[in-house]
Amino acid sequence: KNLLFYEVHFKNIPKLQIGLRFGLAFAILYFFGMQEVVIEYSPFREWGSAFVKYQFFMGVGDVIPVLLLCGTVAWFSLDNNTSSLIQAINRAKKIKVVTIITSSFLIERAIGYETGIITSSCNTYPIPCYIWTFLFGIMLGCSYLVLYPVFAKEQDKLLLSIRLTVLTIGVNWMLFNSFIGLIFSGLMPQALLRSGIDALVLFLASFVINKYIVKSEIHAKDVFELSSNS
């Protein structure tokens, strides 16, 4: 059957690339997550700009190990014949995906900041706070695009959203935030609350995206025929 009829394209990706895709998605979360503007619980007042540099290098220190670890785990844990069907998303749809996720995250965080549900330094540093929120929303959209091809063969849109945004991105984001609760006494509920709300909003945005933006018309039988003919 004609691939153009379905408006998607599939190809095999090797196991190492699968691992690096997970590593890159997590690295994005960790690096930009380190830059979140929460001055009350950091030594920014005492350190000044030196603390910004410290956070940057701490983020880099997270990026390199997670890339190496995910690549190594994929290399040694997946079979040599293991591959995943990757669905290419065109540029227009990628822009829509990032826009929806960024807008959802920005609205969610703005409501959380203004109502006090989410602890922040927006009252003290509103511009840096909202700049970080906007940029991190973009990074969440990029993480989705990096990981989506690995999960694209899942035909159940609800299950795809759960696996991609809740069990993968969401759980990692909650674990990352939980370290704040371990370092500062009494902050664990807030750390889990903010990241839990983030994961919920990302899941809802993902479900809409999977259902209406990057929906695939190829079923399991067609994918098998495609693989056989390639």
Side-chain angles (χ1 to χ4, degrees), residues 21-218:
R21 281 179 177 272
F22 279 98
L24 180 59
F26 299 155
I28 289 172
L29 292 180
Y30 302 160
F31 179 80
F32 282 89
M34 287 295 298
Q35 320 310 320
E36 185 170 6
V37 184
V38 187
I39 306 301
E40 286 77 5
Y41 305 107
S42 71
F44 178 79
R45 288 190 176 91
E46 292 77 20
W47 292 22
S49 61
F51 180 70
V52 177
K53 297 178 182 178
Y54 172 79
Q55 289 290 87
F56 174 82
F57 287 110
M58 283 289 290
V60 172
D62 287 337
V63 167
I64 298 174
V66 75
L67 282 171
L68 293 175
L69 181 60
C70 288
T72 301
V73 170
W75 182 261
F76 288 104
S77 64
L78 298 179
D79 296 332
N80 290 329
N81 295 326
T82 298
S83 62
S84 177
L85 289 170
I86 174 173
Q87 177 179 345
I89 305 174
N90 63 44
R91 182 176 300 178
K93 288 185 178 181
K94 287 180 180 179
I95 294 174
K96 290 179 182 180
V97 167
V98 174
T99 299
I100 290 173
I101 292 178
T102 302
S103 301
S104 300
F105 182 74
L106 186 59
I107 293 171
E108 170 242 318
R109 279 302 187 99
I111 294 174
Y113 296 153
E114 300 305 322
T115 60
I117 296 175
I118 295 178
T119 302
S120 72
S121 297
C122 281
N123 291 333
T124 309
Y125 300 96
I127 295 178
C129 180
Y130 277 100
I131 288 177
W132 177 88
T133 304
F134 175 71
L135 292 177
F136 192 75
I138 294 176
M139 293 305 105
L140 285 175
C142 292
S143 295
Y144 174 94
L145 291 175
V146 168
L147 287 175
Y148 176 79
V150 181
F151 297 93
K153 62 183 178 181
E154 176 60 61
Q155 294 296 312
D156 188 323
K157 302 304 179 184
L158 177 61
L159 183 57
L160 191 158
S161 297
I162 292 174
R163 292 178 62 193
L164 174 53
T165 59
V166 178
L167 299 181
T168 305
I169 297 177
V171 168
N172 269 273
W173 182 230
M174 292 181 72
L175 289 173
F176 177 84
N177 276 274
S178 68
F179 282 108
I180 300 176
L182 294 175
I183 296 173
F184 297 98
S185 177
L187 286 185
M188 184 63 79
Q190 171 62 209
L192 295 177
L193 175 65
R194 68 199 293 130
S195 54
I197 295 174
D198 292 342
L200 175 61
V201 170
L202 180 60
F203 163 73
L204 295 175
S206 170
F207 183 74
V208 172
I209 290 168
N210 294 335
K211 191 173 181 62
Y212 299 106
I213 306 299
V214 293
K215 55 185 178 179
S216 170
E217 300 298 331
I218 291 186

